[in-house]
Amino acid sequence: MSDERWKAIERELKREVRPDPEAVARILTRVHAPAPAGRLARAWRWLTRPRQVMVSPLAGMASAAATVLLVTLPLLMHSAAPLVEPQVAAGVAAAPASGDTLQSVQFVLVAPEAARVSLVGDFNDWDPAATPLRRTTEEGVWSVVVPLQSGRYLYAFVVDGSTWVPDASAPRGPENAFGAPNSVVLVGENT
Amino acid sequence: MHPSDADLVRRVREGDADSFAVLVERYYRRSLRFALRMLGDRADAEEATQDAFVRAYRSLDRYEDRNRFQAWLFQILVNQCRSVLRRQRTRERLFVPYDFAAELVGSEEPEDRHWSAAVQRALLQLAPPLREALLLRCVEEQSYEEIAKATGAGVSAVKMRVKRARDRMRELLQESHSVG
């Protein structure tokens, strides 16, 4: 096939598409709508929300330890709101890694009852076997550091191979086909 | 004299939200073109494009002036399209051949419409990473470095993807041409 042929393909690909005349207005309406609450506000609302929790003595000890960690993790990780779900807590933090664009992003989940936890996301083709988290404490803090380039990624945790857990500290992404929510991490050069 | 993208971003950051409207007007059409070519579906493309602009607005404090605004916007758009593609895959969406020319400005001749449909069909047969790389390079004319940043691949991988995408498009359209 000649270069002329390729040029014809390229010309076709570059053709202007028919715009939706109302799209720009819709975008601007959404842009000017109030922004969703930030991580800290949401985490605070969760922390102060009244709830009834029933735990076994052993789980109670683990939960107490997890609570201490939730307070200290953000300090250790430089950023990341403490976030919690009734059974689990998670967080994500980024720090520069070697290389121009790669950053080490730490994903943390507190899941005392879990036997195994893995991370699935855009960066590993949603493969539950690709990125297991390591249990770093007796109390059930699971963590993994993933080198990521700048960009926006959807991700979630998979607990015990079957339970899909979003990161409650991160913005929610679109649900997957089975209705399970995902989380979003934005990795920028300054994060 | 039109304000530069950097000027507009600065104004938005200073509180002039209306300046964002100029950026949307400036980049909506080409963003939609990318999404439509990537996804092959008008509703999905509109959703990805609109979400990308909203996310860009909310992340504007992370934008750095030394990058081109368009390249930065496309980083977000690429990710939005990937999200939609995943959904398309999981809902087992069928790419029913349709009159893609209807999505384009112009093109009334039957011959042109046939060609438009063939090109889009070929494009949708490429693996998404190849499709992304081809569109960003050959249509949006981004640098390999910008594409690497947008796609998360290395520069040499991007170059390889563009080459493979072009070769595959040529093959597919050769077949299409000889069959049709």
Side-chain angles (χ1 to χ4, degrees):
Chain A
M1 190 181 289
S2 68
D3 269 6
E4 284 306 313
R5 186 71 165 169
W6 174 253
K7 281 178 187 162
I9 296 172
E10 209 171 72
R11 261 200 312 278
E12 174 63 27
L13 290 174
K14 284 183 173 177
R15 284 183 52 194
E16 196 174 342
V17 300
R18 192 169 46 76
D20 174 349
E22 291 172 15
V24 174
R26 270 202 294 273
I27 292 166
L28 296 175
T29 302
R30 285 178 61 191
V31 156
H32 292 120
R39 291 180 182 188
L40 280 171
R42 276 187 285 117
W44 178 250
R45 273 205 305 279
W46 187 88
L47 285 167
T48 55
R49 190 172 66 197
R51 61 173 63 79
Q52 187 177 9
V53 182
M54 296 175 71
V55 292
S56 67
L58 190 60
M61 287 170 64
S63 299
T67 306
V68 172
L69 279 160
L70 285 173
V71 175
T72 54
L73 274 172
L75 301 175
L76 296 171
M77 298 191 300
H78 310 294
S79 69
L83 70 64
V84 254
E85 294 255 34
Q87 299 300 316
V88 294
V92 57
S98 57
D100 288 342
T101 55
L102 277 183
Q103 301 201 33
S104 292
V105 180
Q106 184 179 28
F107 295 84
V108 178
L109 180 79
V110 180
E113 310 282 338
R116 59 197 162 93
V117 178
S118 63
L119 180 68
V120 290
D122 291 335
F123 35 78
N124 66 8
D125 209 24
W126 300 84
D127 179 2
T131 315
L133 275 73
R134 199 165 54 84
R135 189 175 186 129
T136 55
T137 69
E138 288 291 314
E139 291 76 24
V141 177
W142 298 76
S143 135
V144 67
V145 175
V146 181
L148 294 176
Q149 291 190 317
S150 297
R152 175 181 170 280
Y153 302 90
L154 288 178
Y155 69 96
F157 298 104
V158 178
V159 176
D160 293 336
S162 58
T163 308
W164 194 274
V165 181
D167 183 339
S169 73
R172 283 288 166 88
E175 293 179 350
N176 68 17
F178 307 100
N182 297 311
S183 301
V184 180
V185 58
L186 265 175
V187 180
E189 289 178 354
N190 290 332
T191 53
Chain B
M1 183 81 177
H2 295 299
S4 68
D5 290 352
D7 285 340
L8 291 167
V9 170
R10 185 176 44 73
R11 287 184 207 169
V12 178
R13 281 174 171 164
E14 288 169 359
D16 174 18
D18 290 343
S19 287
F20 194 69
V22 183
L23 287 167
V24 176
E25 291 280 1
R26 200 171 277 182
Y27 291 111
Y28 163 70
R29 285 187 181 219
R30 63 192 314 161
S31 300
L32 178 66
R33 175 175 63 185
F34 175 83
L36 192 54
R37 290 291 186 187
M38 264 318 283
L39 305 172
D41 179 273
R42 161 69 63 163
D44 285 347
E46 285 287 357
E47 179 193 328
T49 303
Q50 293 178 29
D51 286 353
F53 276 107
V54 173
R55 286 175 186 280
Y57 179 79
R58 292 187 180 146
S59 316
L60 215 54
D61 54 343
R62 298 195 184 110
Y63 167 71
E64 294 179 11
D65 293 342
R66 65 190 167 83
N67 299 322
R68 283 196 312 141
F69 176 79
Q70 188 202 330
W72 180 76
L73 173 68
F74 268 68
Q75 284 181 35
I76 299 171
L77 182 61
V78 162
N79 279 317
Q80 289 301 127
C81 289
R82 286 178 177 182
S83 298
V84 175
L85 274 174
R86 256 195 316 279
R87 220 171 48 209
Q88 286 183 340
R89 272 205 297 271
T90 48
R91 76 183 180 218
E92 295 182 14
R93 186 175 166 283
L94 294 173
F95 284 104
V96 179
Y98 72 115
D99 184 13
F100 191 79
E103 305 290 1
L104 304 170
V105 175
S107 179
E108 283 78 25
E109 298 298 320
E111 182 80 1
D112 293 343
R113 300 181 87 85
H114 176 77
W115 172 242
S116 294
V119 170
Q120 181 63 16
R121 257 200 316 275
L123 190 65
L124 289 177
Q125 287 181 58
L126 299 182
L130 300 193
R131 211 184 310 157
E132 273 175 4
L134 181 77
L135 291 171
L136 292 172
R137 180 65 189 163
C138 299
V139 180
E140 299 309 323
E141 299 177 352
Q142 292 197 358
S143 70
Y144 286 115
E145 288 73 20
E146 287 173 334
I147 300 170
K149 212 167 182 177
T151 60
V155 170
S156 53
V158 169
K159 287 181 180 171
M160 183 59 73
R161 286 178 188 179
V162 172
K163 184 186 177 307
R164 283 173 53 204
R166 285 175 58 136
D167 290 349
R168 185 74 184 125
M169 284 291 280
R170 283 177 163 153
E171 280 171 28
L172 288 167
L173 287 165
Q174 191 66 58
E175 286 167 15
S176 148
H177 190 65
S178 47
V179 170

